[in-house]
Amino acid sequence: MKKVLITGKTSYIGRSFKAYVEANYPAEIQVDSISVRGDAWQSYDFSGYDAVLHLAGKAHADVSNVSEKVKQEYYAINKDLAVAVAEKYKSERSGFSQFIYLSSIIVYGQKVERITAKTPTNPDNFYGDSKVQAELALKPLSNDTFQVLLIRPPMIYGPHSKGNFPVLVKLAKTTPIFPKVTNQRSILFIDNLNEFIHQLIMNQQETNTYFPQNQEYVNTTELVQLIRHLQHKHMLLLPGFNGFVHMLMEQTNKFGTYANKAFGSLTYEKQLATFNKIRVSDYQVLSFEESIRRSI
């Protein structure tokens, strides 16, 4: 049995992963969770864990008008705390171990549409940069026995998820008319991520950067239409909005940011989602339609 420690006890992904493993793999993985707020965690014994899943972080919020103090909090939590936890785990653990850090697709910024293995990081703001700086600081800690696994997921959705997805669900439930827009986005159902992490641990995957995603890309218009359908509601699609939407996306103000989030294309090249022994089909636990049904 593998022993896994989650740092970030109240995080959405941490709570979801713990529940998923306990329901599906109780004989394979034992999961403990701790908070790393304050200093009490520094006296916790990390030595008995095969993997640490570090999920503590300052979540993405409105980054357009914040103080320098708030910016520094992002770096203190997303980078400095992650490094401190990793260093403590490395110093206490002997034998093969995995430190799994949850980064984000946001490290690439919004100026790229298709991400390949050669696409450089190019964050738009301090939130994305705090993730990039954490990755750069964590990588040198790896060695033959201490593996540093960086996960850069796209938008995560699931029951009671936060972020952009519930906003889109609310919009879909209340809006009977929607523009027909052509785009593609990589997204990731929470239980697909949970299964992916389970396989990372059980297969003893090594130091690398990982890009899990759903098997198929999603189109925003089709997603909203599916949500309406699952709610037994009709939707009128309005063609001819691609030009207007792209004009909005070129703006450098909030309207441009929101338009990019809603209608921009942002995908991982599909071969990035397969890693050594783990094929993308291996961690797809539900059909796309069923995953949306359970998430709304």
Side-chain angles (χ1 to χ4, degrees), residues 102 105 150-156 186-189 192-193 196-197 200 209-215 268 272-275 280 283-284:
L102 197 82
I105 196 171
L150 308 173
I151 302 179
R152 294 177 181 168
M155 183 188 77
I156 297 167
S186 291
I187 60 175
L188 181 61
F189 179 51
N192 291 347
L193 174 60
F196 177 73
I197 296 172
L200 284 182
T209 304
Y210 296 86
F211 313 89
Q213 63 179 325
N214 282 2
Q215 195 154 12
Y268 280 128
L272 290 181
T274 294
F275 315 90
V280 63
Y283 57 89
Q284 309 296 309

Side-chain angles (χ1 to χ4, degrees), residues 3-251:
K3 290 188 66 178
V4 178
L5 178 65
I6 292 173
T7 50
K9 190 173 184 177
T10 61
S11 69
Y12 174 68
I13 295 172
R15 289 182 286 107
S16 298
F17 180 73
K18 191 173 192 298
Y20 180 81
V21 167
E22 289 174 349
N24 295 281
Y25 303 107
E28 290 185 8
I29 295 181
Q30 175 191 321
V31 177
D32 297 327
S33 301
I34 63 168
S35 170
V36 285
R37 294 179 180 178
D39 298 325
W41 66 271
Q42 296 179 21
S43 62
Y44 192 87
D45 183 5
F46 282 40
S47 64
Y49 292 98
D50 300 285
V52 168
L53 178 56
H54 185 73
L55 298 172
K58 191 168 178 63
H60 186 24
D62 184 2
V63 296
S64 58
N65 186 25
V66 298
S67 67
E68 189 63 31
K69 180 181 178 181
V70 171
K71 290 181 182 180
Q72 292 309 310
E73 287 176 1
Y74 276 83
Y75 289 95
I77 296 172
N78 293 342
K79 177 205 168 192
D80 298 341
L81 178 61
V83 172
V85 171
E87 289 178 338
K88 173 179 168 60
Y89 179 40
K90 183 178 180 180
S91 69
E92 296 182 2
R93 171 73 177 176
S94 61
F96 185 89
S97 53
Q98 295 172 303
F99 182 83
I100 305 172
Y101 177 76
L102 197 82
S103 187
S104 171
I105 196 171
I106 201 168
V107 299
Y108 295 102
Q110 294 186 19
K111 297 180 179 67
V112 61
E113 294 187 355
R114 179 63 57 91
I115 297 165
T116 72
K118 296 182 179 180
T119 303
T121 58
N122 186 29
D124 293 324
N125 52 53
F126 56 87
Y127 170 67
D129 187 60
S130 70
K131 291 290 190 179
V132 171
Q133 297 307 316
E135 291 185 6
L136 292 173
L138 288 168
K139 285 178 182 178
L141 297 178
S142 65
N143 58 32
D144 290 343
T145 57
F146 189 78
Q147 310 298 322
V148 176
L149 289 70
L150 308 173
I151 302 179
R152 294 177 181 168
M155 183 188 77
I156 297 167
Y157 68 97
H160 312 297
S161 60
K162 299 179 181 179
N164 296 330
F165 182 75
V167 174
L168 196 62
V169 171
K170 183 178 181 180
L171 180 65
K173 289 180 177 180
T174 57
T175 306
I177 302 174
F178 201 79
K180 187 175 182 180
V181 176
T182 302
N183 74 331
Q184 287 184 323
R185 296 192 76 91
S186 291
I187 60 175
L188 181 61
F189 179 51
I190 183 63
D191 276 353
N192 291 347
L193 174 60
N194 290 333
E195 178 58 32
F196 177 73
I197 296 172
H198 161 252
Q199 294 196 28
L200 284 182
I201 295 167
M202 297 310 297
N203 288 311
Q204 293 192 325
Q205 295 288 113
E206 299 181 344
T207 296
N208 208 335
T209 304
Y210 296 86
F211 313 89
Q213 63 179 325
N214 282 2
Q215 195 154 12
E216 299 300 330
Y217 301 140
V218 68
N219 167 269
T220 301
T221 301
E222 292 174 357
L223 175 57
V224 171
Q225 192 174 28
L226 174 59
I227 295 169
R228 293 281 298 182
H229 170 74
L230 294 173
Q231 293 287 312
H232 307 290
K233 297 178 180 179
H234 295 292
M235 170 165 278
L236 176 63
L237 297 180
L238 300 178
F241 272 78
N242 273 317
F244 176 71
V245 167
H246 282 284
M247 182 185 72
L248 280 179
M249 288 166 54
E250 291 174 359
Q251 303 299 311

